[in-house]
Amino acid sequence: MVIDGRLDLARARQVAVFADRLGLAGVWLRRPWWPVGVPAMSEEDAGGLLAWLGSGAGGRAGLIADAGQADVAWLGRLAAMAAPGLRLALCGEQGDVGRWQRLIARQPGLDATPLALSAGAALPPGPGAAPAAAVFISCSPGRDLAAEVAAAARAAAGGPVLAEVTVSVGRTDTEARARADGDGLFAVAGHPDQQGLFGTLEECQAAAARLAHAGVTELACYLPLASDLHDVLAQLRSIAVGASVLRPGDAPSAAPPPPAGWGGRRATG
């Protein structure tokens, strides 16, 4: 999952620890954060959080950087703060991405493994550039997700494919839509009903399974900034577990039966 940039440092740490306890693959930070709301974490706090995560305190750490907007000078400071094994995914124009690759290759303290790049920039690497080990599909409101997944899978040639997706899951479609429509993040990153996982738990499981069968090996999920975020995270874990056992064409699992005595009318003597 991607830690919401609108969280302060203390709450971001709590979310990271909870995600780790749920067994999620890791947590990501995105720099700069999407242009919605006011980021609560400074660049220094974000670097410290990445170092804390990289030390194993709160799960596997990753950084998603927009190479055209992120502060390149921050990369050098990050190299001094970040623990080995930091995952790094770059998006943006190919020239900007290439510049970051060359800077990464010259940073001996920055062991970004694996480096993920968009399909257009992943192969072949430019001279003096850090090579890509994974293909990255970044969020955008108007992207054709299915087409980008297909292109990424071809470029990866069996290697890892990481996709950013927006997520809104609810007990009903109405609840999922209310969560998504009420959060300004999805206006700039893309609405979950087109750009990720949307609807009930089983609908989200099915969508995640389709992405997995198309070649995606990991989802970097953006969640609504809800008061019950811990519950949403638990549902995200359930989505991952359910999607791992679904095959194309499989019917969703049956809904659990209602509790004894639930519904209907009580008999009267």
Side-chain angles (χ1 to χ4, degrees):
M1 64 160 291
V2 183
I3 291 183
D4 198 304
R6 296 167 289 183
L7 296 176
D8 60 30
L9 181 58
R11 194 171 179 208
R13 282 193 175 197
Q14 291 174 350
V15 170
V17 169
F18 192 63
D20 185 46
R21 289 175 180 171
L22 286 170
L24 299 180
V27 293
W28 295 83
L29 272 70
R30 196 183 221 274
R31 309 310 288 176
W33 179 248
W34 296 95
V36 54
V38 178
M41 278 188 288
S42 66
E43 295 291 356
E44 183 178 357
D45 283 346
L49 178 60
L50 283 172
W52 177 77
L53 289 167
S55 71
R60 195 176 182 198
L63 172 67
I64 297 168
D66 186 327
Q69 298 184 46
D71 180 6
V72 178
W74 188 55
L75 185 66
R77 299 194 296 273
L78 180 64
M81 293 184 292
L86 173 73
R87 297 195 293 168
L88 182 60
L90 298 180
C91 59
E93 297 296 327
Q94 190 165 356
D96 294 325
V97 170
R99 181 162 51 99
W100 271 71
Q101 284 180 275
R102 291 189 291 275
L103 286 168
I104 292 166
R106 295 199 297 268
Q107 292 287 345
L110 187 58
D111 177 22
T113 52
L115 175 65
L117 301 176
S118 62
L123 297 172
V135 179
F136 178 58
I137 306 168
S138 60
C139 268
S140 63
R143 70 178 175 180
D144 184 335
L145 181 56
E148 292 201 23
V149 168
R154 288 193 298 271
V161 174
L162 167 67
E164 283 187 305
V165 293
T166 52
V167 179
S168 185
V169 57
R171 288 165 293 184
T172 64
D173 283 350
T174 300
E175 183 178 68
R177 188 163 297 280
R179 277 179 167 158
D181 292 349
D183 196 316
L185 170 64
F186 299 133
V188 295
H191 199 282
D193 65 354
Q194 297 293 322
Q195 299 298 340
L197 314 180
F198 177 81
T200 64
L201 176 61
E202 289 193 336
E203 287 172 330
C204 290
Q205 286 174 340
R210 286 193 295 271
L211 290 170
H213 293 304
V216 176
T217 55
E218 184 178 344
L219 299 174
C221 298
Y222 291 89
L223 306 177
L225 191 57
S227 58
D228 57 346
L229 183 57
H230 284 60
D231 180 58
V232 176
L233 278 169
Q235 293 183 77
L236 187 64
R237 172 60 179 165
S238 297
I239 290 170
V241 171
S244 67
V245 298
L246 290 177
R247 294 173 298 180
D250 278 359
S253 57
W262 182 266
R265 296 181 178 177
R266 179 176 297 176
T268 56

